Amino acid sequence: MLPWKRALRPLSALMLAVAVALTPAATATAEPTTAAPSSGWNNYDCKPSAAHPRPVVLVHGTLGNSVDNWLVLAPYLVKRGYCVFSLDYGQLPNVPFFHGLGPIDKSAEQLDAYVDKVLAATGAPKADIVGHSQGGMMPRYYLKFLGGAEKVNALVGIAPSNHGTTLNGFTGLLPYFPGAADLLGRHTPALADQVTGSAFLTKLNADGDTVPGVRYTVIATRYDQVVTPWRSQYLSGPNVRNVLLQDLCPLDLSEHVAIGVLDLIAYHEVANALDPAHARPTTCASVFG
């Protein structure tokens, strides 16, 4: 891909962020705005099996929602015998469908309540969490500060913004546009929270990336153009496995969005992370199941 085309992608993302920031804004609410699917996903009558004893909670990314982010992964996991659930979080007033924009600490509170709801419905003592982008990072706040480590067995982050993003250097331009950083912080707090070096990320990553008792998996792609540099997605600490998609399949060219919403090779590795005792090698052929 030509360098100027690579540069346009993060610029487009930044322009979209600014456009969203111009909407009336501000605090997260708990009301979902998308309907739950009915094909075994978000089925509160589902009871975990002996083979898969924990429900899986899917956490969408910034500008995503509980349905669109998971149209491929949710059925993929349901087909493999998991009870699968997904939530909407970080909603802004008058902004339908595009969620994950509210303050991330408040979004973590929504996740806290949702996991409790899922555990109560399924009768399971713990859940596993799979998240894309912000959805792979935000649960770490829940684990670290809201008691989530007692209720979660594993966290799988697909292209997670664990240490923030530079948007290929574009966030470094914010100081040259007076008021831009304040605009993001006031109107789309989650975007400001995910800029490398933010107060939120400094708090989140202080005293270590992980908490005891939880298994962590990070699945990254070297072609990520949103969470950059891509190595910033990796975690350090015990019970951590960092995976580069191209080490599994060099032919996989998925970028930030594709790895989360349709990449069957990445999903095969998600399944391995959820059930490591029965993991099978992930290769380019994993796209066939």
Side-chain angles (χ1 to χ4, degrees), residues 17 31 46 52 64 81 99 105-106 138 151 176 197 247 254 270-271:
E31 293 301 318
C46 185
H52 301 303
H99 302 321
D105 57 346
K106 300 302 181 184
M138 176 270 279
K151 306 170 189 175
Y176 297 97
D247 286 343
S254 288
V270 168

Side-chain angles (χ1 to χ4, degrees), residues 25-190:
T27 57
T29 64
E31 293 301 318
T33 58
T34 47
S38 59
S39 58
W41 161 27
N42 281 343
N43 174 12
Y44 286 89
D45 292 326
C46 185
K47 300 299 179 185
S49 65
H52 301 303
R54 292 175 298 276
V56 178
V57 175
L58 303 179
V59 187
H60 65 75
T62 307
L63 296 170
N65 62 60
S66 63
V67 176
D68 293 349
N69 214 140
W70 307 120
L71 290 173
V72 179
L73 179 57
Y76 180 96
L77 293 176
V78 168
K79 182 179 178 181
R80 283 155 180 77
Y82 289 92
C83 293
V84 180
F85 302 86
S86 61
L87 78 156
D88 287 302
Y89 71 87
Q91 301 95 324
L92 295 181
N94 303 316
V95 183
F97 308 116
F98 301 105
H99 302 321
L101 292 167
I104 297 181
D105 57 346
K106 300 302 181 184
S107 293
E109 293 176 6
Q110 292 179 270
L111 176 62
D112 184 7
Y114 190 79
V115 171
D116 284 349
K117 177 182 176 180
V118 168
L119 294 181
T122 60
K126 288 189 175 185
D128 290 325
I129 295 177
V130 178
H132 176 218
S133 192
Q134 179 190 164
M137 173 273 289
M138 176 270 279
R140 294 178 49 227
Y141 190 95
Y142 162 59
L143 298 177
K144 195 169 188 178
F145 298 110
L146 302 179
E150 297 178 357
K151 306 170 189 175
V152 175
N153 169 71
L155 170 61
V156 184
I158 305 171
S161 52
N162 281 320
H163 297 96
T165 179
T166 66
L167 269 180
N168 276 331
F170 278 91
T171 59
L173 299 177
L174 288 174
Y176 297 97
F177 295 89
D182 182 61
L183 178 69
L184 288 179
R186 284 187 292 110
H187 293 280
T188 53

Side-chain angles (χ1 to χ4, degrees), residues 177-223:
F177 295 89
D182 182 61
L183 178 69
L184 288 179
R186 284 187 292 110
H187 293 280
T188 53
L191 297 178
D193 285 346
Q194 291 177 89
V195 173
T196 300
S198 72
F200 173 84
L201 288 169
T202 299
K203 176 181 178 179
L204 176 63
N205 293 313
D207 304 318
D209 291 347
T210 63
V211 296
V214 179
R215 289 189 295 104
Y216 296 82
T217 301
V218 172
I219 305 171
T221 171
R222 70 168 69 254
Y223 302 113

